[in-house]
Amino acid sequence: GRLEAVTQQMGYHPQYLDSFLKTQHYLMHMDGPLPFDCRHYIAIMAAARHQCRYLVNLHVLQFLRAGGDPQWLRGLDFIPPKLRNLNEINKILAHRPWLITKEHIEKLLKISEWSWSLAELVHAVVLLAHCHALASFVFGCGCEQDEGPGGRGLLKPLSPGNQCFCEATTSNGCSQELLRINRKRSLDSCMELDSLRERMQRIHVEAEGREETRLLQQDREEGEGQGAEVIYKVGVTEHHSDPPAGLSPLADSDGEVTGATNLACYMQDPDFGYQDFARRDEDQTQVFRVQDYSWEDHGFSLVNRLYSDIGHLLDEKFRMVDGLQGSAIAKRQGCEPSVFKRGIWNYIHCMFGIRYDDYDYAEVNQLLERILKVYIKTVTCYPEKTNSEMFDRFWKQFKHSEKVHVNLLILEARMQAELLYALQAITQYMI
C-alpha cells in the first residue's frame, strides 16, 4: 500500500507532481497518434538506453496490459520494422541529441509501407525525451536502489509494474478519468485524495527526520580522512567525457553489478554513449543558439499543432519547475532562487551544446560547487553511473526535498534540450 517510488519522490513538490502526472497520463493513456502498446514499447526502448530496469519493468507490464504482443518483449528483432526504425533516433536523442538532422527525420517519414506520419513521429519523440529524462530522475533520486543496511528507506522500488504513475496518485483528475475508462484490471490501489495528501505529508516529514538523524550518526561514525578520500575518488572536472572514477555501472550495496544483461535485447549499439559536446570556436554553426530556435517561439507551436494539447502540458511542466520555491537551496549558495535555478538549467543545456547569448557562463562556476556539477553532469549525461554515495555523502547540507528539486530541474532541462534538437530537425524537414 505504499506510494509508487517516483510519485513518492516528486510528492515533495505537489504542484509539480500534479503537472507531471497530467502529462504522463496524456502521453500514455489518452487519445493520440500512436497505439497504446506501441507507446509503452517506445518507453521500454528509451529506458533501456540508460539501463533503467525500473522503468523497463514498469512499461513491460503496462505493455502487456495494453494488449501488446508478448513476442515483442524478446527484443528489437521481434518487433515491426516501423518501430525498429525508431532505434537510431532513440540512440542519438538519449546520448548526443545535437547529431539529429532533418535526414534522420526524412528517413523515418519516407520508408514506403513502414513510414511514420508527422503526428506519430512527434508523439514518439516526446515519449523518448520524456523517458530519457525520467530515467535521469529515477537514478538521481535512487528509485532503482534497494532498501538495505544504511539505505535510504523511501527510495525502495515499490513493485512498479502494478500501476503507472498516474494510476498511483493524482489530484488532477487522472484517477477519475481512469475510472471512466474500461480497464481490464481494477485500480483498487488508488486512494482517496484527502487521505493521500495527508499520507504523503506525513511520509515526507518522517523521512526528513530520519534522514537528518541518519546523516548525523554517519558523520559521527566516519572519520574525516575517509570522507576526504571519497571526495577525492569521484572528483572530476566537468570537461571529462567519462563518468567519475569509482562509479561502477549499477553497482548494488554488495558491489555486485546488476547491469543491463536482460535489457540488451531492447537496444542496438550499446557502446554509443554521451561525449562532451565538441568545442569548435571556428565553427559556431555547431552551437545551438536559443535565440534562433526556442521552445517558446518555435517548439511549442509545432508540437502542439501535430499532437494536440501536448504542447500546453509540456509548457506547464517547464513553467512549474521554474516556479518551484527554492529559496532555501539558493540561500545556501548565497544567491537568488531564480539565479541559482537558471545556472543549473543553462549548465545542463550547455552540456548538450545549447547556448544563451544573454547569459554569462562564468556564473555557473561561481554558483555551482564542483561536487554539485559532477553530480548534475552524471545524472544528466550517464544516469546509470549514479550511485548512492553521490546522493548521500556529498549533499549533506541539503534537505531531501532540495535534492529532489535539483533532480526535477535536471529532468525538465534535459527533456527540453532533446525536444529542441528533434523539433528543429522536424522543422527543417518541413521547410
Side-chain angles (χ1 to χ4, degrees), residues 274-292:
Y274 175 83
Q275 290 182 352
D276 277 345
F277 182 81
R279 295 185 174 187
R280 298 184 177 93
D281 294 334
E282 71 282 359
D283 188 3
Q284 292 299 319
T285 59
Q286 295 294 324
V287 176
F288 187 111
R289 299 201 173 277
V290 175
Q291 282 69 21
D292 298 329

Side-chain angles (χ1 to χ4, degrees), residues 219-248:
D219 286 342
R220 287 195 297 268
E221 293 174 353
E222 294 179 353
E224 292 295 331
Q226 182 181 1
E229 179 183 353
V230 174
I231 291 177
Y232 174 79
K233 191 161 111 177
V234 304
V236 298
T237 65
E238 65 270 27
H239 303 312
H240 288 184
S241 58
D242 294 327
L247 301 183
S248 58

